[in-house]
Amino acid sequence: MEQKNALTVTQLNEYIKMMFDSQPTLNRLLVRGEISNFVNHRSGHFYFTLKDEGSLIKAVMFKSSAMKINFQPENGMRVVARGKVSVFPRDGQYQLYADDMELDGIGALYVAFEQLKNKLAAEGLFDESRKKPLPRFPSKIGIITSPTGAAIRDMINVTGRRYPMAEITIYPALVQGSDAPRSLAAGIRYFNNSENHPDVIIIGRGGGSIEDLWAFNNEQLARFIANSEIPVISAVGHETDFTICDFVADRRAPTPSAAAELAVPDSYELYTRIKAYESRVGTLLSRKLSNGSDRLRILSRSRVLTSPETLFDNLKLRVDRNSDILDASIKSKMTLSRSELKTASGKLSSLSPLAVLSRGYGAVTDADGNIVKSVSSLDIGQKIDVTLSDGSVTAEIINKKEATNGN
């Protein structure tokens, strides 16, 4: 064994890598398989394994390519990956370097649609509470669509027929292809930043396949619509077509023509309604005037106007009647007062000392006019005054006898 011809491990791996890289078949190929061991690295790179029933191969997709796919890879998904097979010299391991990936089968776009729909719904972008009401009478309408398609003609025709006073501004945008989402989002930004901004925005296009409408399932465009300060109507495809824009917009119209009908009122209907209001108001005014005339005619025939003196006659009668009522009230009050006075006088008389004296009693006072209440307070020789019912006398105490045992 000649050791001088031995290769280092690095040299061997580099040689094998060169052999892989020199094979045209391995430089651009499609590989179908099921994803397992998927890792979405913080760097933005995808690391995963593709496997089938009999084998597996490790794979990597760098951030620049991962950002371009329209779905989020998950374990168990069947995909078709495009890329090249090469060797990572450090590990001595060959792997698939994927630069694109699609879901395998006819439901691939549907899965991508459902993933984005669930993601934005979880963030609340579809909630009715955050959606803005449409203006009832918009003066300016902004339309984001292809300037050459049938959709724009339909919207212009419907708007002109229903509400010709509305001013329409068209933002020409791509509605299909990889650059379409960016072009549509630019239209939303343009109208929101415009000084003469519209009252409502319509964004959409005519019908087509799911691939044709795919630009309206873009996450960035959906966020532009959600953040628009101007109400947005989504009008994509036909009635059975649904896109992410339909869910995030403030209103969804089944067709571009229906979007124009949602955006503006029907001027003929408004005219008819106004005429009906005008007729009703006229009828009410006529009725009011007629009732007023009838009432005025009745009042003009009243005696107050035809014979004003009767008003004073009635007042005189009222004065006489009130005077009689007042006199009667005064008399009644005086009678009651006399009766009350007589009763009080009787009670007062019964309590008067003169009434007591008239029954044979006398009131005794000393020289100072003080009432004498007991014999013990008098002295022999003291003069006293005795008041009787018909006068008074002066007496001198010559003898006194005090009662005993309370007698």
Side-chain angles (χ1 to χ4, degrees):
M1 181 173 61
E2 297 183 5
Q3 294 184 3
K4 64 178 182 179
N5 295 325
L7 299 175
T8 64
V9 175
T10 299
Q11 288 173 331
L12 177 59
N13 285 344
E14 291 287 354
Y15 180 75
I16 294 174
K17 173 178 170 56
M18 181 183 66
M19 291 181 60
F20 272 78
D21 293 345
S22 65
Q23 294 294 320
T25 304
L26 299 180
N27 280 334
R28 191 167 182 82
L29 74 167
L30 300 176
V31 181
R32 175 180 284 110
E34 179 183 318
I35 295 177
S36 65
N37 302 319
F38 178 79
V39 176
N40 185 355
H41 196 270
R42 62 177 179 273
S43 63
H45 306 327
F46 292 164
Y47 296 95
F48 55 97
T49 299
L50 284 181
K51 66 178 183 179
D52 57 19
E53 293 80 0
S55 188
L56 58 82
I57 183 173
K58 291 189 178 297
V60 60
M61 175 177 279
F62 295 122
K63 180 180 179 180
S64 58
S65 298
M67 294 174 61
K68 297 178 181 178
I69 65 174
N70 55 22
F71 67 98
Q72 176 63 38
E74 298 175 358
N75 288 329
M77 280 186 176
R78 294 190 57 81
V79 299
V80 175
R82 185 189 71 190
K84 67 177 182 177
V85 177
S86 187
V87 174
F88 186 31
R90 191 195 69 180
D91 297 342
Q93 174 179 293
Y94 77 89
Q95 59 186 355
L96 175 66
Y97 291 82
D99 57 32
D100 195 10
M101 187 187 303
E102 295 179 353
L103 289 163
D104 186 14
I106 57 174
L109 292 179
Y110 176 76
V111 172
F113 170 83
E114 285 297 320
Q115 282 186 339
L116 181 56
K117 177 183 173 184
N118 293 335
K119 176 183 178 181
L120 299 182
E123 294 181 24
L125 265 66
F126 302 162
D127 293 351
E128 289 297 325
S129 59
R130 55 154 295 276
K131 297 191 176 185
K132 297 173 286 296
L134 302 182
R136 293 189 63 187
F137 305 106
S139 59
K140 300 181 182 65
I141 301 171
I143 300 178
I144 305 172
T145 189
S146 170
T148 58
I152 186 60
R153 292 196 298 272
D154 291 342
M155 286 187 279
I156 292 175
N157 290 337
V158 171
T159 303
R161 171 173 50 82
R162 287 174 60 86
Y163 202 65
M165 61 283 294
E167 176 186 329
I168 298 176
T169 301
I170 301 171
Y171 184 91
L174 298 173
V175 294
Q176 188 173 333
S178 59
D179 294 329
R182 186 165 52 253
S183 177
L184 294 165
I188 297 291
R189 183 171 55 246
Y190 168 79
F191 282 129
N192 275 270
N193 293 336
S194 174
E195 292 183 0
N196 190 27
H197 62 78
D199 301 308
V200 63
I201 297 173
I202 301 176
I203 183 171
R205 56 156 290 165
S209 65
I210 187 172
E211 291 82 5
D212 295 336
L213 306 180
W214 195 251
F216 295 88
N217 291 320
N218 179 269
E219 180 176 353
Q220 182 184 22
L221 175 59
R223 295 189 184 279
F224 266 89
I225 293 174
N227 293 327
S228 173
E229 296 181 359
I230 304 170
V232 178
I233 301 174
S234 175
V236 183
H238 300 300
E239 187 169 358
T240 56
D241 297 322
F242 279 89
T243 66
I244 297 297
C245 285
D246 293 328
F247 294 106
V248 76
D250 298 295
R251 290 290 295 273
R252 183 250 176 185
T255 63
S257 297
E261 293 182 356
L262 280 175
V264 298
D266 187 343
S267 58
Y268 179 75
E269 181 182 339
L270 291 175
Y271 173 78
T272 303
R273 189 181 304 174
I274 291 172
K275 294 299 291 183
Y277 288 152
E278 181 182 347
S279 175
R280 184 178 179 185
V281 170
T283 300
L284 291 175
L285 285 176
S286 297
R287 187 179 303 165
K288 191 76 173 176
L289 289 173
S290 177
N291 292 340
S293 298
D294 292 342
R295 186 177 180 186
L296 181 60
R297 189 163 44 252
I298 293 172
L299 291 175
S300 65
R301 295 172 181 172
S302 66
R303 294 187 62 190
V304 173
L305 295 179
T306 56
S307 301
E309 63 276 5
T310 58
L311 177 62
F312 298 100
D313 293 340
N314 292 335
L315 291 175
K316 291 176 182 178
L317 292 174
R318 288 179 61 186
V319 169
D320 290 343
R321 183 166 58 251
N322 290 337
S323 178
D324 293 342
I325 294 173
L326 181 60
D327 289 344
S329 177
I330 292 173
K331 290 178 180 179
S332 175
K333 190 70 174 176
M334 290 181 67
T335 302
L336 179 61
S337 297
R338 287 193 187 99
S339 176
E340 291 175 348
L341 180 60
K342 183 177 181 180
T343 301
S345 178
K347 291 180 180 180
L348 185 61
S349 296
S350 66
L351 296 176
S352 174
L354 296 177
V356 176
L357 296 178
S358 65
R359 293 198 296 271
Y361 293 94
V364 180
T365 59
D366 60 18
D368 295 328
N370 298 319
I371 295 294
V372 177
K373 296 182 179 180
S374 67
V375 173
S376 62
S377 64
L378 297 174
D379 296 323
I380 299 299
Q382 182 180 348
K383 290 184 179 181
I384 58 174
D385 292 323
V386 180
T387 302
L388 301 173
S389 62
D390 58 349
S392 62
V393 296
T394 300
E396 180 179 343
I397 303 299
I398 59 175
N399 187 25
K400 68 176 183 177
K401 182 179 180 180
E402 298 183 22
T404 58
N405 297 327
N407 298 318

